[in-house]
Amino acid sequence: MLTRRLKLPIHDLVFERAGNDQITKHFEQNFLAHASPLPVGAYLDIQHKLADTTASVGNTAYWVLRRTNDKLDIVSSCTTYIRDAIMCEGRGVQYTKVVIITDIFTHPEWRLLGLAKRLLTRLQQLLDDGEAFGDANFSVVFSNFTTNLFMDLGWKPEESNQLRIFLGKLQMQHRPVVKEARFLDYNEVVGLVKNDYNLAQLRMSGHDKSAVHVQISPTAQLTRWHLMRSRLHSQYLSKDKMGIETHGAFSKVSYPAWVWWVHDYRLKRLIIGRMHVARLTGFALSIRPLLEAAVVEAAMCGFREVMLLDPDQQVNDAALMIPEQFPEDEVKVMHYSNLDMQPCVRWKGGEHPKKMKAVMKERQYYGWS
């Protein structure tokens, strides 16, 4: 390793958008960090299928920093997704785009040389120029555990928390009835998302001009991307569980109140992608059966926990009622600072034209890519 590092001329590197062979190389290198326990062939299959989804075609690019004399000698790389977004500067909703930067990876032999910073600096120049990313007004990096690199480059971390429900001894072989909730299949979830997007726009329009408020739009195509990604991973990792999976739940207490979720067999957890409620207060009793249904789904799949990003107060209040629904199983509710998947936001050009602070709303998992 030391020999190769000494031979790397830091000034003699090429930054470029990846071609087909480089994209495969990018996937192969990310496999080292993210894929276990998937075999490499399965991981590549998932990545190529996701690249062909409606949410990805024409909206996805891969960027590499490579050595000059070999296009496949990639030392650092990343993926960008262009997603729909909404924003408000105090005068109604505006429609825009956001660039999500993800899968940032530096080859183990070239780490601690500032190569990821160099890669992101070059990408930042493209973001500010606007030519490669069109109308995107801001970008988001979802940081895992450390934000120093992104902060140094102008991406500001958004404070948020995680709600985590640990299942303790809870195991299930047969799905019980959750009296006040109904489990949802794929088509039912996708059918509900349109109303979610409409409500998000309505709420965004109510923000004042103390800051520029931004949100990744909870669109149907983004929801389908998440559900497909979940199903593709389940295909390889769930063993005999895929046939019993559901994709969300609808509350019978008062409506509309519903959630959709994804299955993470690698880390043995159910992640709530989106929690939709008609009002921001007074819905704790409607949310409780949704969380109960999520715990049941997790137990059916052999998971250890349920996770929800950026819960509000009524979600936290509802979560406190969950342990009493499973009194003999040591189910516990915990809250943590959002150290993984923490969104970091940067305005195009480094700051808003009116020097307004950017505040990201609705920082739930659905916005992650």
Side-chain angles (χ1 to χ4, degrees):
M1 180 186 301
L2 180 60
T3 302
R4 285 203 73 193
R5 289 168 67 93
L6 290 174
K7 290 182 178 179
L8 178 67
I10 299 300
H11 63 281
D12 192 20
L13 294 172
V14 176
F15 170 80
E16 63 189 4
R17 182 168 179 169
N20 289 338
D21 291 342
Q22 291 171 316
I23 291 172
T24 299
K25 188 70 173 181
H26 167 66
F27 290 158
E28 290 173 347
Q29 293 191 347
N30 267 270
F31 165 80
L32 300 175
H34 304 300
S36 178
L38 280 171
V40 63
Y43 181 78
L44 294 178
D45 177 58
I46 290 171
Q47 296 305 315
H48 285 296
K49 286 179 177 176
L50 288 174
D52 287 335
T53 61
T54 304
S56 298
V57 174
N59 298 315
T60 308
Y62 308 90
W63 306 91
V64 301
L65 194 65
R66 65 168 176 87
R67 300 185 72 179
T68 304
N69 58 355
D70 186 351
K71 286 193 172 185
L72 294 182
D73 195 352
I74 296 170
V75 298
S76 191
S77 58
C78 67
T79 305
T80 56
Y81 296 99
I82 301 175
R83 303 298 195 201
D84 291 330
I86 51 178
M87 54 183 280
C88 179
E89 299 172 301
R91 57 175 189 274
V93 176
Q94 302 174 57
Y95 302 94
T96 184
K97 299 288 185 181
V98 55
V99 177
I100 309 298
I101 305 168
T102 188
D103 294 336
I104 303 166
F105 183 82
T106 299
H107 194 284
E109 294 190 20
W110 308 126
R111 290 176 183 169
L112 303 179
L113 295 174
L115 296 176
K117 184 173 184 178
R118 182 165 181 162
L119 172 79
L120 291 173
T121 299
R122 294 298 304 274
L123 182 61
Q124 193 176 83
Q125 293 169 359
L126 293 180
L127 290 165
D128 293 346
D129 291 344
E131 293 183 11
F133 298 102
D135 297 329
N137 277 313
F138 65 105
S139 57
V140 176
V141 183
F142 287 89
S143 173
N144 287 334
F145 304 110
T146 178
T147 60
N148 292 339
L149 169 63
F150 308 123
M151 290 177 65
D152 288 346
L153 293 172
W155 280 279
K156 296 178 174 58
E158 294 278 333
E159 292 185 8
S160 64
N161 297 307
Q162 295 179 355
L163 168 68
R164 299 172 71 175
I165 304 174
F166 294 96
L167 273 59
K169 299 178 181 178
L170 183 62
Q171 296 181 356
M172 293 182 180
Q173 300 298 321
H174 303 284
R175 187 182 300 272
V177 173
V178 179
K179 293 182 179 179
E180 296 175 319
R182 178 172 62 86
F183 289 97
L184 301 174
D185 62 25
Y186 173 93
N187 290 326
E188 289 175 308
V189 169
V190 174
L192 289 168
V193 171
K194 181 178 180 180
N195 290 332
D196 184 24
Y197 184 35
N198 292 338
L199 183 57
Q201 295 174 80
L202 180 63
R203 287 176 176 164
M204 179 61 71
S205 68
H207 291 298
D208 59 29
K209 58 183 180 181
S210 60
V212 52
H213 297 85
V214 300
Q215 180 180 345
I216 300 169
S217 298
T219 61
Q221 68 176 20
L222 183 53
T223 302
R224 285 194 294 266
W225 183 90
H226 277 287
L227 296 180
M228 180 176 177
R229 181 180 182 275
S230 178
R231 294 293 280 177
L232 288 169
H233 279 82
S234 294
Q235 176 183 330
Y236 290 105
L237 297 177
S238 68
K239 298 181 181 179
D240 59 342
K241 302 294 186 181
M242 187 172 175
I244 65 170
E245 290 180 358
T246 65
H247 297 285
F250 192 95
S251 178
K252 298 179 181 179
V253 175
S254 57
Y255 54 86
W258 49 266
V259 295
W260 60 259
W261 50 58
V262 296
H263 302 79
D264 185 349
Y265 286 92
R266 186 172 70 91
L267 296 179
K268 301 294 184 183
R269 63 186 181 182
L270 189 79
I271 305 176
I272 293 177
R274 182 71 172 154
M275 170 81 69
H276 172 96
V277 291
R279 295 197 303 270
L280 298 177
T281 58
F283 257 57
L285 292 178
S286 301
I287 294 169
R288 182 201 55 74
L290 299 178
L291 296 178
E292 181 183 348
V295 169
V296 168
E297 179 73 12
M300 290 292 295
C301 294
F303 294 165
R304 295 189 292 260
E305 65 174 299
V306 174
M307 185 177 77
L308 187 149
L309 303 182
D310 198 32
D312 61 17
Q313 186 58 53
Q314 62 181 350
V315 172
N316 291 332
D317 292 342
L320 294 176
M321 308 177 205
I322 294 302
E324 65 191 46
Q325 308 300 316
F326 307 94
E328 299 178 359
D329 299 298
E330 300 181 5
V331 173
K332 296 181 179 179
V333 175
M334 304 289 288
H335 294 86
Y336 295 88
S337 296
N338 195 14
L339 296 178
D340 59 331
M341 292 184 284
Q342 182 177 13
C344 302
V345 180
R346 180 182 180 274
W347 200 259
K348 181 179 179 180
E351 65 178 358
H352 188 272
K354 298 180 182 178
K355 302 189 183 304
M356 298 172 72
K357 178 183 177 182
V359 176
M360 187 173 174
K361 312 298 291 185
E362 301 287 345
R363 300 179 291 266
Q364 295 181 32
Y365 179 76
Y366 79 91
W368 174 90
S369 294

